[in-house]
Amino acid sequence: MSATTDEPPVTEPLSDDFRDRLRELPPSAKLVAKVLETDSPLSQGQLAEESLLPDRTVRYALNRLEDEDLVNSRYSFQDARKQVYFLNR
């Protein structure tokens, strides 16, 4: 019999370089990065829902994170019309 736990999977900690680059960004970008750290990949809509930020603010945060090469995107496997985002650790 195997035991199951409700603990989230262990993820690798963010590098010091990643944290230093993130430190210079606005609070919305930090929040979006934190949401992606705990749950990714997510679409822009899912990020807005999870972070409680407006869609426009999430888009701005993602643009800033992409400019710093802290986040990557790919097309969703469930819906190829959407992109999903994940941290570039």
Side-chain angles (χ1 to χ4, degrees), residues 6 12 36 53 62 66 80:
D6 291 335
E12 63 185 68
L36 287 173
L53 293 172
L62 286 170
E66 286 176 329

Side-chain angles (χ1 to χ4, degrees), residues 57-75:
T57 304
V58 170
R59 181 77 246 152
Y60 173 75
L62 286 170
N63 284 336
R64 294 296 304 268
L65 289 165
E66 286 176 329
D67 289 346
E68 291 294 323
D69 198 31
L70 298 175
V71 71
N72 281 330
S73 65
R74 64 167 168 77
Y75 288 102

Side-chain angles (χ1 to χ4, degrees), residues 15-58:
S15 70
D16 290 337
D17 178 54
F18 186 98
R19 289 180 173 280
D20 288 341
R21 289 187 290 155
L22 186 61
R23 191 169 283 122
E24 302 301 319
L25 296 178
S28 60
K30 293 173 186 170
L31 178 57
V32 167
K34 187 65 174 173
V35 170
L36 287 173
E37 182 182 13
T38 59
D39 189 20
S40 71
L42 293 174
S43 68
Q44 181 180 341
Q46 291 169 318
L47 281 166
E49 192 174 304
E50 291 293 319
S51 66
L52 303 177
L53 293 172
D55 288 335
R56 185 174 178 172
T57 304
V58 170

